[in-house]
Amino acid sequence: MRGGFSGTGGSFRGADSFKGQPIQVWFRWHDIHAAQPWWEQAFSADNGVHWEVNWRNWFTRTAAIPSPLPLQSDAPRDFDFLVGRWSVQHQRLRERLSGSNRWDHFDGTLHNWPVLGGFGNVGDNVMNFPAATVRGMGIRAWDASSGQWSSWWLDGRDPTRIGAPVRGGFVDGVGTFMGDDQLQGQPIRTRVIWSRITSRSARWEQAASADGGATWETNWISDFERQA
């Protein structure tokens, strides 16, 4: 869904499917500066000629500062360690899978909180790259059918594209996540490992493979120290 706000409302449109048929979807926000803003969703099966509203929500503020909703009792606890605010020391390989041994070192922060009742979590990252400060968002969700987590990355420099996911889980306190991606148009494998997890610290490592996982090159290491 793409769009924006003007005056007291917002309009967002996108393409989807419903019962196997292509449709247009329209989200609209109304009275956004009032005490009770509201949102509605509409579908169109004729490319926007006619619209049917099928959902409306009215919002009443209950707190000025947001806080996570209660966790569900059956939610996985794997990422409980990551909830909170962190200082981060990053090491990033300048060029991947090219034989480079030049690394950039920089700091940053992470603010992470649970969503979906604990079946997901979101992390807001600030990374002070040597050339500029970059923001990015980590999105993780638990799939009970596969018993795995999926993890996506949204780079603030390219906010229209969510990166290819890595999937996996934790065994004996170490999380391993794998996925397929591309580098300069060529297929690669990506591996992410969470390790050295304590109440005050953790390490995240990313590696890439151009030979289907036979060999791996580590290209990013992040060491986390808890702020709160």
Side-chain angles (χ1 to χ4, degrees), residues 31-214:
D31 301 332
I32 62 174
H33 304 301
Q36 194 175 60
W38 58 286
W39 168 94
E40 66 180 355
Q41 174 183 270
F43 288 174
S44 173
D46 53 16
N47 204 33
V49 177
H50 301 92
W51 291 92
E52 177 187 78
V53 175
N54 54 53
W55 201 327
R56 288 191 173 113
N57 294 330
W58 283 264
F59 296 81
T60 302
R61 187 180 300 281
T62 59
I65 300 176
S67 58
L69 295 172
L71 301 181
Q72 298 184 31
S73 60
D74 59 341
R77 310 304 298 267
D78 299 312
F79 277 103
D80 284 6
F81 75 92
L82 198 57
V83 174
R85 301 183 179 186
W86 300 82
S87 297
V88 190
Q89 297 295 322
H90 297 280
Q91 305 173 58
R92 186 185 66 152
L93 192 63
R94 291 185 183 180
E95 298 179 7
R96 301 179 185 181
L97 298 175
S98 67
S100 173
N101 195 32
R102 296 187 302 165
W103 292 77
D104 287 323
H105 299 259
F106 51 93
D107 63 5
T109 58
L110 166 69
H111 293 184
N112 194 87
W113 60 94
V115 294
L116 303 176
F119 287 88
N121 62 92
V122 176
D124 190 7
N125 296 264
V126 177
M127 298 168 291
N128 298 313
F129 284 14
T133 297
V134 172
R135 289 183 175 269
M137 184 169 65
I139 307 165
R140 304 173 192 90
W142 172 255
D143 179 9
S145 63
S146 66
Q148 290 188 318
W149 288 92
S150 294
S151 178
W152 298 264
W153 177 253
L154 175 63
D155 192 315
R157 296 167 296 181
D158 187 10
T160 64
R161 187 182 73 89
I162 296 178
V166 291
R167 295 184 170 91
F170 288 81
V171 176
D172 297 329
V174 175
T176 304
F177 301 80
M178 310 281 287
D180 295 312
D181 205 346
Q182 289 192 348
L183 179 66
Q184 298 178 349
Q186 300 300 313
I188 63 170
R189 292 283 287 168
T190 299
R191 182 184 68 194
V192 167
I193 296 177
W194 285 97
S195 65
R196 306 187 186 185
I197 297 170
T198 75
S199 62
R200 305 293 304 175
S201 61
R203 169 169 281 196
W204 176 93
E205 299 179 58
Q206 179 179 269
S209 173
D211 54 16

